Amino acid sequence: MRYARVRPSFISFLALISVLILDTFGAAPLSPAVRATFYPEKLAEMDDAINQAIADKKCPGGVLWVEHHGVAYHKAYGNRALVPRVEPMTENTIFDAASLTKVVACTPAMMLLVERGQVKLDDPVQKYIPEFTGDGKEAITVRQLMLHISGLPGDVETKTDWHGQQAAIQKACEIKLASPPGTRFRYSDINFFLLGEIVQRVTHQPLEVFLQREVYGPLKMRDTGYLPPRSKLSRIAPTEVVNGKPYRGVVHDPTARHMGGVAGHAGLFFTASDLARYARMLLNGGTLDGVRIFKPETVRLMTTVQSPDSIPARRGLGWDIDSGYSGPRGKIFPVGSYGHTGWTGTSLWIDPASQTFVIFLSNRNHPTEDGNVGPLRARLGTLAAEAIRPAPPPEAKAALPERCLVQSPKGAEQRACPAPEPSGAAKCRACHSRPPALDGIDVLEREHFAPLNGLRVGLITNHTGHDRARNPTIDLLMNAPGVHLKALFSPEHGIRGVMDEHVGDSVDEKTGLPIHSLYGKQTKPTPEQLQDLDALVFDIQDIGCRFYTYTATMGLCMEAAAENGKKYFVLDRVNPINGVTIDGPVRLGKGSFVAYHEVPLRYAMTIGELARMRNAEGHLKADLTVIPIQNWRRSEWFDETGLPWTNPSPAMRNLKEAILYPGIGLLESAVSVGRGTDTPFEVVGAPYISDTRLADELNRAGLRGVRFVPIRFTPTYSVHKGKLCGGVYILLTDRDRCRVVDVGLQIAETLYRLYPNDFQPQKMSHLLLHPPTLEAIKSNNPLGAIHALWRKDLQEFEKRRAKYLIY
């Protein structure tokens, strides 16, 4: 989980003092479990934020519920009612859920029908509501309703005197589309009251009856439902006052009111404790107290990004993930967490990665619509994430470090830092370090492999596929409960990363699983290899360079998954050469195995982000899920992440070589780049080169962040094998300022000028894939003129790239 730095302040000091005073002088003290789970000063800041909002008349009161790994902090604040008389808020107050109805009523009802095969997401709505026709509505699917991309406007009119659910359906059938289906995200209540109607027509039951029987009853959500009885009226938080009387026990939403109080978009009432049971069930993969509501894959389906890549707003089925409505996520919970809000002042946000949820229920529109809890929701989301104490590892050697580690005075062992900040992404007060990054496999472990539960899996991996403790992904999936690992697929260099030639199929000695080579007779899984699988999982460390072939393997496997109807999971990994520096020309012309993606030589994306781009721009329509990284900043190089280095391939032995590779790798068919030496990609040479002359010429060029040292070496492999070569050793003096593609191009231009009969620039063409740049090298054009050739395409790439970034 990612945390943000919290600066000590007078406010946070007062908050801590307030906790101590309350604990000392009679207010309910924090339990040992709560103190062990949360920082008390952060909980106090949450209290203060809510009380300040009440004082500022943003809401009359509210109920907070924060829970992490089953340990909860919950509390009532302020007043439940102000009109006609003041009533104090209580934790058992029943709230008008407003649009939380969409995800606590309509979405679970629909997903139960989808899980049971009674409704299909890509069926047209007209299949279930035959009268839903005209103006292109025949093209609208159930999925588009759930994603708010149907093209329908936000709501139907409520000024005229109409009543009943069927009257609303008729209005939805008559209304004009605001945009073509599938082209734009537009939040719409119509979408969800149509979905509620589908539930009723398919089940032949009223929506409220179906939900009580299938969800609320089994989960023991005793105060949750539509049309609350009079016996509960005194506990219901009133909303807006109209004509001198507040709505109380009557839904505030005007459309739901016209429909009789039961609708898919609004009308539900609940308590914080009931909503906590519902959230807990989702975090547990669809099960609570031994009662299963959903299969884990159903929970995963509705709570992960399902919106098309062409739509900027990232939504699950019903749930919000990353859009203009994501305020309750705050500044720390990652994209991949999910939630929803309600007009009346309700909100729920759930973070599966940290097993945390935050509920804040208020009636901010009592007595008037002047209340506003938007900023408060965001503040509570941030504070909730900051409040979580890092869990102590059960075994120091194998644990994922949640806290920073510092050397003991003797330097002989590591111990937990004695004074970490409350927020884990912050720098520690004692040692000024941050928690290390977690790759996708680490996050998957934390989720107890829930996304893969029940699936027959094929794993595309090699020796770089391991967690922070270097446990191989093969072993982790083989031993994961509920995961059925059936086959392995290996990229270039083989499953162990030691081969430098084509690799054949084999059998893994440890697991007995078949290993299908994707760098031999075939580069893409065959239908026969996939027929007994439900999903492919990709976990390989890339290095952020276009012609490094692991990204081609990722793309080709995604193609195979899409063509054969298999799920595709990418366990994301950090880009070792950072995620901000873009360099080199965008590929021109057709792709190849060493240029699969239409990107620059250095594209500044993770392999998960690259997968999202390829899936969208290649129109693959793969069922893609990216398991995201945590605690990584785009600007970080690999050695700033705390992750263990594993040579991605035989000749890629350290980070410096990975940094230089996008430029020096361009030359490897024309000269020796050190393959077969101890310093591949750190040296360049050939038998015909004068080492001193080349070093002088290159240093005179004045490239930033790099110097060149004359050297002689004899490679034992690849170009000029066994021959004494003159050349240069590349001394990287400032990796942040060095444009490594320029280094490769400057070397090429210099060699062609000095040795036109020996150096052949055309041997760079299959990796460079930019003919104008190749011609500019031959013409001895300056680097500035070469950069101008790339500028327009790079600007377009940056726009394309922005749509797919996760971090």
Side-chain angles (χ1 to χ4, degrees), residues 342-364:
W343 177 261
T344 53
T346 57
S347 61
L348 166 65
W349 204 265
I350 303 173
D351 179 33
S354 66
Q355 289 287 292
T356 305
F357 62 83
V358 186
I359 294 167
F360 181 66
L361 304 183
S362 74
N363 50 340
R364 61 100 202 154

Side-chain angles (χ1 to χ4, degrees), residues 316-347:
L317 297 175
W319 293 94
D320 183 45
I321 295 173
D322 187 25
S323 75
Y325 296 88
S326 304
R329 190 176 76 220
K331 298 179 179 179
I332 296 173
F333 286 129
V335 174
S337 57
Y338 58 91
H340 212 281
T341 62
W343 177 261
T344 53
T346 57
S347 61

Side-chain angles (χ1 to χ4, degrees), residues 227-303:
L227 306 172
R230 291 187 61 83
S231 61
K232 296 183 178 181
L233 196 63
S234 63
R235 286 199 287 130
I236 296 174
T239 55
E240 188 179 10
V241 175
V242 178
N243 297 324
K245 185 178 179 180
Y247 290 118
R248 190 165 197 172
V250 176
V251 61
H252 177 266
D253 180 84
T255 302
R257 239 181 11 255
H258 277 259
M259 293 175 68
V262 178
H265 73 287
L268 193 69
F269 287 78
F270 51 32
T271 60
S273 61
D274 275 4
L275 189 55
R277 292 187 66 80
Y278 181 74
R280 208 173 295 132
M281 176 272 295
L282 293 174
L283 281 180
N284 289 338
T287 300
L288 183 66
D289 298 335
V291 176
R292 196 189 82 178
I293 304 298
F294 298 111
K295 296 178 181 178
E297 53 265 36
T298 303
V299 175
R300 182 73 181 180
L301 176 64
M302 66 173 152
T303 61

